[in-house]
Amino acid sequence: MPKHLPLLLLFQVLFPALYSRLAAETAAEQWVRAQITSGKNADLAKHSPNDTKQRVLTADFLAKVLSTKSGLSDRVGISISHGVVSDELDLERLDAIYDIELSNFDFRGPVDLSGAHFHRSLSILQSTFENTFVGYRLEVDGDLAIGGPPLNMPGSDAQFRSSVSMRFASVGGQLAAHRAHFNGIVDFSGIEVHGRGVFQKSRFADSVNLTLASFGGEANLDETSFTRRDGAAGFNSMKVGHVATFNLSQFAGDVDFSHMQISSNFQASGMRLIGTDHTVKFSYMKVGRFALEDDDFSHGFVQMVGLATTDLDLGNVQWPDHDRFVCEDVTYDRINVAGGSASTLLKWPASSRYSSSTYAALASYLADHGNSGGASTVRVDRQKREAETLDFPHWIWDKLKFFTCGYGERPWYAFAWIGVFVAFGWAVFRHRAGMELIDPNQPDPGYDPFWYSLGLFLPVVDIGLMKAWRPKCGRRFAHNYAHVHVLLGWVFVPIAVASISGILR
């Protein structure tokens, strides 16, 4: 007779339900339960260092353990490492009151946390999910961690081999999904995270959806890679209570930041589009500070329409060609482009499809900040770009305005032309011998070729000599040019006056 048989029989008689449960548990599961009950981490790698088959836990056992209601250490909670779950883990509507940490697990079947409520933190770190992971309307009152080890620390990254869906989940603390490899479609749409969300150094091999996601603190997607060329990364209408960062992130497919609301900074230094003909949308974002630096969008399509920000910071950005960059109705209180001068500021709207609102806003900004020369440069460039859209008659008038007065921004152009024509008239009418009195019966008023040329050129103004003298009929060129000289005066003098008054701007 075995030494402990009487005790086992007595235990079976006194506690039949408990005995039945324990008898159904494997040796590994009984060891795990004992470790948890004693307030220790149940590291199955220590229990079975060489045989992973001895680390298998049934989904039913794990569900029962995680739903334990009393008798455990609040300091440790439930902590299990290096486990294997081969069947479907259905934790739907689970109610867990302890901190739970599952690390270095291998989940071979689907995992379903839909509607589950974890009253403290849930940590599933450095684990592999061979099948789907679902957390629809999952509630975690504390922190939720589903990524790899801490950044820059040794350890294996989390692996999600299939799709991940955590639509409308709620996290009371922070969401840590850094150093995770997502091989299937990822859907975090509508997730609400009261703290920060960290996806740093994660890899997404398929489409990603964070539409309507909300982060009370920072949203960190630095050094993330989105590698699906025909996939999309959607952040449409995402809300961030502090800073959203996409530094050194790479996108092989389309990316949509439209309608994002960020209380502080949107920072995307070194962002890259991998491949060609992909679209980046920054339209209708509301951002405290919108900062792009050293980004390369040259092979993609960029939409920046209705962006509203306090600070617009664009440093050394490689924009695509005109027909692939739409920028209009962007509002800002301050703007900075690498270099800071009006010419460098102009590289931004000059790279996009023509938009009068973009040029007007930039000119107004420069004027308000005391840079009237820069504002003038922007207005001239605006007129040049607008001329590209005009039909031929309007194009002719546009060129006339540019060459005569620089679209009203360069009045001295007109005065220079006036000076040239007056000087030319002076040369044409320089010899008194080539002139004759209109009325020989009137006394000779004297003749001066400069004043004659100037008086003939200025409309309305009567210097006196024009009514007394005219070129002799034998001088055909001078005689005909006198009429042209008058017409040129009627063109250039009003343009000069309109330029000074600002009518032509």
Side-chain angles (χ1 to χ4, degrees):
M1 177 182 295
K3 179 179 179 180
H4 300 293
L5 183 57
L7 292 175
L8 290 174
L9 292 173
L10 179 61
F11 186 79
Q12 181 180 5
V13 172
L14 295 177
F15 307 101
L18 181 59
Y19 177 83
S20 176
R21 184 180 68 181
L22 292 175
E25 293 177 353
T26 65
E29 291 170 344
Q30 292 180 26
W31 182 83
V32 168
R33 185 181 292 279
Q35 291 292 104
I36 292 174
T37 303
S38 62
K40 300 178 181 178
N41 169 253
D43 188 351
L44 285 160
K46 295 180 179 179
H47 171 71
S48 179
N50 301 317
D51 188 0
T52 57
K53 294 181 180 179
Q54 298 303 315
R55 303 179 191 176
V56 175
L57 306 176
T58 64
D60 183 63
F61 166 79
L62 199 55
K64 290 176 181 177
V65 169
L66 299 183
S67 61
T68 301
K69 297 300 181 187
S70 62
L72 303 184
S73 167
D74 281 340
R75 182 180 62 83
V76 178
I78 299 173
S79 178
I80 310 173
S81 302
H82 296 97
V84 178
V85 181
S86 58
D87 51 345
E88 179 179 358
L89 180 60
D90 187 354
L91 302 179
E92 190 173 359
R93 295 183 176 84
L94 175 77
D95 190 69
I97 66 171
Y98 290 101
D99 288 308
I100 293 175
E101 179 181 346
L102 306 176
S103 61
N104 297 99
F105 259 70
D106 183 4
F107 297 96
R108 297 176 180 173
V111 176
D112 190 352
L113 300 176
S114 298
H117 187 186
F118 293 83
H119 293 264
R120 296 190 181 180
S121 65
L122 171 61
S123 178
I124 312 178
L125 290 174
Q126 303 185 66
S127 296
T128 299
F129 298 84
E130 302 289 348
N131 216 304
T132 57
F133 180 91
V134 180
Y136 176 71
R137 294 197 179 278
L138 165 69
E139 290 185 60
V140 180
D141 294 348
D143 296 334
L144 172 61
I146 57 171
L151 297 170
N152 303 317
M153 295 292 289
S156 57
D157 294 352
Q159 302 285 337
F160 293 86
R161 312 267 187 213
S162 187
S163 62
V164 175
S165 177
M166 294 186 62
R167 296 175 60 242
F168 301 105
S170 175
V171 181
Q174 73 171 10
L175 169 63
H178 56 276
R179 288 183 60 177
H181 295 187
F182 298 93
N183 293 332
I185 295 175
V186 176
D187 189 353
F188 285 90
S189 60
I191 190 171
E192 183 177 3
V193 180
H194 291 265
R196 63 200 295 254
V198 181
F199 296 86
Q200 191 172 358
K201 293 187 176 180
S202 289
R203 303 291 181 266
F204 298 89
D206 211 314
S207 296
V208 182
N209 186 7
L210 278 92
T211 300
L212 295 173
S214 175
F215 298 91
E218 173 190 7
N220 186 329
L221 288 96
D222 290 344
E223 301 179 75
T224 51
S225 293
F226 302 82
T227 59
R228 181 69 179 264
R229 292 188 178 276
D230 58 347
F235 306 95
N236 193 301
S237 301
M238 191 170 90
K239 296 181 179 179
V240 182
H242 190 45
V243 177
T245 61
F246 289 83
N247 298 313
L248 300 177
S249 56
Q250 298 184 356
F251 297 89
D254 297 340
V255 53
D256 186 3
F257 298 111
S258 299
H259 299 280
M260 284 184 69
Q261 298 182 37
I262 305 170
S263 298
S264 187
N265 297 355
F266 175 87
Q267 180 75 43
S269 297
M271 181 188 294
R272 292 289 183 273
L273 294 184
I274 308 301
T276 59
D277 299 333
H278 300 302
T279 300
V280 182
K281 297 180 180 179
F282 297 110
S283 297
Y284 304 104
M285 294 177 66
K286 294 183 178 180
V287 189
R289 175 174 176 261
F290 183 85
L292 301 179
E293 185 176 4
D294 297 323
D295 302 293
D296 187 358
F297 304 125
S298 56
H299 299 295
F301 295 83
V302 178
Q303 294 181 14
M304 189 181 290
V305 179
L307 171 70
T309 181
T310 302
D311 291 279
L312 183 61
D313 195 344
L314 307 173
N316 194 31
V317 180
Q318 301 298 313
W319 301 109
D321 296 333
H322 291 167
D323 57 341
R324 297 190 299 173
F325 180 24
V326 180
C327 176
E328 58 186 31
D329 297 326
V330 177
T331 60
Y332 45 86
D333 294 334
R334 289 175 293 276
I335 183 172
N336 178 51
V337 175
S341 66
S343 59
T344 55
L345 286 171
L346 268 172
K347 291 180 180 179
W348 166 52
S351 300
S352 76
R353 191 178 304 171
Y354 173 69
S355 167
S356 61
S357 66
T358 305
Y359 280 97
L362 182 57
S364 177
Y365 172 83
L366 291 171
D368 292 343
H369 287 76
N371 189 349
S372 57
S376 177
T377 299
V378 172
R379 287 193 291 266
V380 169
D381 197 71
R382 171 191 174 184
Q383 296 275 15
K384 289 180 180 179
R385 291 291 307 281
E386 185 175 325
E388 299 172 2
T389 67
L390 301 176
D391 56 26
F392 185 72
H394 290 91
W395 182 83
I396 292 295
W397 169 240
D398 179 88
K399 291 304 178 185
L400 179 63
K401 287 194 298 180
F402 173 69
F403 287 113
T404 57
C405 62
Y407 299 116
E409 301 292 339
R410 309 286 188 267
W412 60 269
Y413 280 18
F415 287 100
W417 281 111
I418 292 173
V420 168
F421 287 121
V422 169
F424 184 74
W426 187 5
V428 171
F429 310 121
R430 66 185 181 278
H431 298 299
R432 177 171 175 157
M435 306 296 293
E436 64 181 4
L437 290 169
I438 297 175
D439 187 355
N441 298 321
Q442 295 295 326
D444 186 345
Y447 180 73
D448 186 291
F450 171 77
W451 289 109
Y452 179 81
S453 176
L454 179 63
L456 198 64
F457 194 83
L458 295 178
V460 183
V461 178
D462 183 7
I463 293 180
L465 296 180
M466 306 88 65
K467 294 182 178 181
W469 296 94
R470 65 185 176 191
K472 291 181 178 179
C473 293
R475 298 184 64 205
R476 285 185 71 179
F477 177 78
H479 185 79
N480 292 328
Y481 178 72
H483 301 294
V484 174
H485 199 68
V486 172
L487 290 175
L488 290 173
W490 277 102
V491 172
F492 281 90
V493 173
I495 287 176
V497 174
S499 299
I500 295 174
S501 63
I503 294 175
L504 292 180
R505 291 182 181 177

